[in-house]
Amino acid sequence: MIVCKFGGSSVADAQQIRKVKQIVDADPQRQVVVVSAPGKRSKDDEKVTDMLYACNAMVQQGSSCKDLFKKVALRYTTILSDLGMQAKPFLPVLEEVRQMIDAGHGAEYAASRGEYLAARMVATFFGWEFLDTDPEIVINHDGTVNPETWNNLKRALKPKTKYVVPGFYGCDPEGKVKTFSRGGSDITGAILSSAAKADTYENWTDVSGVFSVDPRLVPEAKVIKQMTYREVRELAGVGAGVFHEEAIAPILASGITINVKNTNAPMDDGTFILPTREKGEHPLVGVSAKSGFSRLSLRKLMLFKKSGIRHALLTMLHIFGIRPTFSLFGVDSIIWFFETTQASDSVINAMCSRLKSEFELEEVSVDHGHAIVGIIGSGVMQDSSVIAKSTTALAEDKIALNFFNYGSSDTSILIGVNATQAQDAVKSLYRALF
Ligand code: ASP
């Protein structure tokens, strides 16, 4: 059996939803369909999820979201009438959602309603069961999936029944609606695939698979035919879109095949994501970059003589809400890279003075505007020419390196560059290595 997840562009309007129905009808194995909220219909359009976050923001500022919510409601009623369905029975559902947002149920509740309404609408159109993910999918406060979820879904999924399921949300252990991070319907699809013991998890989007490099940067970019779970996770971790980096965890143990496919070109093979892949002709799968990092640099003579110092410093960072993504250790120095959005300038300043005084550091500084570029592929450690080719290409293109991380994973090489040079670095590396 197959679990399908259709992204926001696949349910953006009636025409797209008709394509979804054709795809689903073409194979009786497709028994569970997870949907996102309607996305953009054109470049300048708005995503329903963004509008719902805006509705909640209005309520937080003390106004009613009534006017703005009309735009949300119109997206659904237009789709319903374009599908030849009655919009009327849906109006009380829309009104109830609006009232709940106005009553201050918060950002996660508001955002989740995009998927909730989409799934109810698609379920009616298909004549399938609607299965709500609240309260079946329990999401811990740190965003991980609570194991209770597996028993809940086992109980909820009846054999020989076809379901439409909303992506992106579940509830927290106390029963309050909780969302995953943005793009989180991919995680819901993975959870349903695992719970329903699917043979394949089809992830339907608006491109024909995962690209080896962002096609906006390199127009001749190719779709990756096969990649491993580790490779997709590492590629998504350095900013490649298409598949959510946290969607591998729920299916890791079951080894289900993921197939990323295009709703607008269903005959294309797409990308297959597997526990292991055939040793193709290329040891690498892709290059990508993620910006938005800050660098914290600490220095003190004989810093590491003090036992437990790393732990103590990390505890201090934690107190200020900083969770570093990458670390580098020198003889007397430590560098941590963290996502800039984790702390405001004033929090960073307060943390730096605390670090300086408490640990008697000679130097503490933070600078912004960093990017991490990843060269991903399970063959990076086997092919020693990858390092030589990469550094030569970057030097020729005058791209300065802030760090080079080789060996901490057998699936990636990570390179720190200034964010202003990140796109050039990706292009340069792609040209040199692919
Ligand atoms: N609708 C949500 C978002 O825009 C979740 C998703 O699309 O997967 O992030």
Side-chain angles (χ1 to χ4, degrees):
M1 85 84 123
I2 301 169
V3 170
C4 304
K5 176 257 165 178
F6 288 90
S9 56
S10 305
V11 293
D13 60 23
Q15 199 190 350
Q16 290 301 95
I17 295 176
R18 284 214 171 85
K19 288 185 197 167
V20 170
K21 182 149 178 6
Q22 262 180 17
I23 290 167
V24 168
D25 287 347
D27 189 342
Q29 295 259 69
R30 296 185 172 120
Q31 291 177 8
V32 175
V33 164
V34 174
V35 291
S36 287
K40 292 183 181 188
R41 293 159 293 187
S42 62
K43 236 174 121 208
D44 306 318
D45 198 15
E46 270 180 287
K47 286 183 170 191
V48 163
T49 309
D50 292 332
M51 292 197 271
L52 288 164
Y53 277 123
C55 283
N56 176 66
M58 286 194 79
V59 175
Q60 297 306 314
Q61 282 157 21
S63 343
S64 162
C65 71
K66 218 168 180 166
D67 284 338
L68 188 53
F69 191 80
K70 278 190 190 140
K71 271 169 72 181
V72 175
L74 187 64
R75 285 293 298 268
Y76 291 96
T77 52
T78 307
I79 295 175
L80 285 164
S81 62
D82 290 351
L83 286 172
M85 291 161 70
Q86 289 270 334
K88 216 170 161 206
F90 219 67
L91 298 180
V93 185
L94 288 164
E95 178 53 17
E96 190 194 326
V97 167
R98 200 272 307 157
Q99 281 176 12
M100 294 284 279
I101 299 175
D102 263 340
H105 283 262
E108 302 199 46
Y109 171 81
S112 74
R113 296 304 91 181
E115 272 71 9
Y116 169 78
L117 294 166
R120 284 198 55 171
M121 181 174 70
V122 173
T124 316
F125 181 55
F126 284 11
W128 289 17
E129 288 284 311
F130 165 75
L131 173 68
D132 202 353
T133 41
D134 166 24
E136 312 305 351
I137 294 182
V138 184
I139 308 172
N140 294 324
H141 292 288
D142 64 3
T144 54
V145 181
N146 187 298
E148 246 184 72
T149 302
W150 309 115
N151 282 335
N152 293 351
L153 287 173
K154 210 168 152 190
R155 225 181 309 109
L157 292 163
K158 305 273 177 294
K160 295 198 180 73
T161 311
K162 296 190 173 191
Y163 292 100
V164 179
V165 181
F168 190 39
Y169 71 90
C171 65
D172 68 16
E174 287 75 47
K176 197 166 163 242
V177 171
K178 180 160 176 64
T179 55
F180 290 113
S181 53
R182 293 300 301 263
S185 300
D186 284 349
I187 308 173
T188 313
I191 293 170
L192 264 297
S193 301
S194 187
K197 299 197 169 30
D199 303 295
T200 307
Y201 168 24
E202 288 180 346
N203 192 282
W204 292 84
T205 173
D206 55 2
V207 285
S208 290
V210 182
F211 283 85
S212 47
V213 66
D214 186 339
R216 287 167 300 188
L217 294 180
V218 181
E220 67 273 19
K222 290 197 183 71
V223 167
I224 303 164
K225 288 196 172 84
Q226 279 196 358
M227 60 196 303
T228 66
Y229 287 173
R230 293 268 315 270
E231 287 170 334
V232 78
R233 183 155 159 73
E234 297 232 21
L235 196 61
V238 284
V242 184
F243 196 70
H244 198 293
E245 59 175 315
E246 288 168 37
I248 291 297
I251 51 169
L252 194 62
S254 47
I256 295 164
T257 300
I258 305 165
N259 188 192
V260 178
K261 283 180 75 76
N262 188 347
T263 303
N264 305 316
M267 299 311 279
D268 290 356
D269 290 339
T271 300
F272 286 92
I273 304 168
L274 309 150
T276 54
R277 71 174 160 108
E278 288 162 21
K279 286 230 175 336
E281 67 276 16
H282 215 290
L284 306 176
V285 293
V287 182
S288 181
K290 190 172 179 182
S291 298
F293 287 99
S294 299
R295 174 173 63 181
L296 168 65
S297 314
L298 312 177
R299 180 184 305 279
K300 184 189 175 179
L301 204 70
M302 314 276 273
L303 178 65
F304 297 108
K305 269 282 171 202
K306 195 165 176 204
S307 78
I309 185 74
R310 284 184 186 82
H311 183 77
L313 288 164
L314 278 171
T315 305
M316 183 64 84
L317 265 57
H318 180 77
I319 291 169
F320 285 91
I322 305 261
R323 299 171 307 280
T325 322
F326 302 103
S327 1
L328 296 173
F329 299 109
V331 176
D332 288 327
S333 60
I334 300 181
I335 286 177
W336 274 305
F337 286 90
F338 60 93
E339 288 180 24
T340 308
T341 50
Q342 287 178 358
S344 64
D345 280 346
S346 57
V347 169
I348 287 174
N349 289 340
M351 176 184 72
C352 288
S353 18
R354 266 296 281 286
L355 284 168
K356 193 157 192 176
S357 58
E358 209 134 309
F359 297 94
E360 296 168 333
L361 300 171
E362 288 153 20
E363 186 198 314
V364 182
S365 64
V366 171
D367 65 318
H368 306 301
H370 289 273
I372 313 288
V373 184
I375 302 166
I376 314 298
S378 38
V380 281
M381 296 292 281
Q382 278 116 50
D383 184 351
S384 53
S385 72
V386 174
I387 294 190
K389 284 185 200 158
S390 313
T391 46
T392 307
L394 294 171
E396 277 171 8
D397 288 334
K398 302 202 168 26
I399 294 163
L401 308 193
N402 294 327
F403 77 83
F404 200 91
N405 180 336
Y406 175 76
S408 63
S409 153
D410 59 7
T411 310
S412 65
I413 295 175
L414 301 175
I415 302 169
V417 299
N418 291 344
T420 49
Q421 292 196 299
Q423 295 195 342
D424 289 340
V426 169
K427 285 194 244 177
S428 170
L429 290 168
Y430 187 78
R431 236 181 290 121
L433 298 169
F434 285 82

